[in-house]
Amino acid sequence: MLFRSNLNNISRLTLKWNHFPHKMFALEATFYNTYEINKFKDKLGEIGVGFQDNRNETNSFGTRLNLQGTVFKYIDTSIILEQRNERFKPEDKLSTAGSNSSYRRTLIAGTEESLNLLSGALKITGVIKSEMINDKSADNFPFFTAENVQFKREYTELTTWQVGRSEEH
């Protein structure tokens, strides 16, 4: 007998302030949350190897700030700051080993600059974005018990850039 269920919830609130901090700019703040539970039971071992009774919970929340405006007559700018927190909590009801949560905190900073030429017929855009990711996860090696779980920490930094142009004929 197989059983599978999913529960998803996505929430978002966006606030916008025009003329912030100057009349040529606007600030947009977005607050968001996602929540998901996945359950899967295969007590007869019909799919895969062995029996399964899993419940996985994922939760993330964050804030994104976007400041947009026109710096000079022909230059549009956008500055983005975002912080996101995530948690993944697996649960295997048939396992004797403890299930432990994993966490991720991400900080994103970026800017996009657009140069408008020929009365807007040509636009050249440059973007640079940096992501700093801090992970904390439990080593779920099957011989560990809940009393002596060891956490692994990992830090990753990613920087990307992009240049493009668009034309109107």
Side-chain angles (χ1 to χ4, degrees):
M1 178 175 114
L2 297 174
F3 172 78
R4 181 174 183 181
S5 71
N6 292 319
L7 169 71
N8 293 306
N9 180 26
I10 300 172
S11 304
R12 184 173 87 176
L13 172 67
T14 300
L15 304 171
K16 186 172 184 176
W17 295 273
N18 292 319
H19 312 295
F20 182 89
H22 187 269
K23 67 180 181 177
M24 296 187 311
F25 286 91
L27 177 66
E28 190 173 276
T30 302
F31 307 94
Y32 58 89
N33 178 56
T34 61
Y35 183 74
E36 182 177 358
I37 295 178
N38 293 312
K39 294 179 182 179
F40 180 74
K41 292 181 184 179
D42 181 11
K43 293 194 175 184
L44 299 177
E46 296 176 61
I47 296 179
V49 178
F51 310 114
Q52 297 181 53
D53 189 354
N54 301 321
R55 180 186 188 275
N56 298 322
E57 180 180 336
T58 305
N59 190 13
S60 69
F61 62 93
T63 303
R64 180 182 180 106
L65 299 175
N66 188 0
L67 181 65
Q68 297 177 336
T70 303
V71 179
F72 299 107
K73 185 176 179 180
Y74 302 108
I75 300 177
D76 295 329
T77 190
S78 178
I79 299 169
I80 296 172
L81 291 173
E82 180 175 356
Q83 182 189 351
R84 181 175 55 243
N85 295 290
E86 300 170 84
R87 182 188 72 157
F88 175 68
K89 183 180 178 185
E91 182 181 354
D92 184 354
K93 294 182 180 181
L94 301 178
S95 174
T96 57
S99 298
N100 296 292
S101 297
S102 298
Y103 304 91
R104 171 174 282 177
R105 176 173 286 155
T106 305
L107 179 63
I108 300 170
T111 183
E112 177 179 310
E113 308 299 323
S114 295
L115 177 61
N116 298 299
L117 302 170
L118 305 173
S119 299
L122 176 64
K123 182 189 242 184
I124 299 172
T125 302
V127 178
I128 187 164
K129 182 172 84 167
S130 183
E131 294 184 50
M132 288 125 313
I133 303 166
N134 192 0
D135 289 322
K136 177 183 172 187
S137 60
D139 274 334
N140 287 329
F141 191 74
F143 298 111
F144 286 142
T145 62
E147 294 92 36
N148 59 2
V149 172
Q150 296 180 0
F151 284 93
K152 180 173 71 172
R153 293 184 179 269
E154 193 172 302
Y155 177 79
T156 307
E157 187 170 330
L158 307 168
T159 301
T160 58
W161 59 273
Q162 185 176 2
V163 177
R165 77 166 199 242
S166 63
E167 299 176 32
E168 287 186 23
H169 298 281

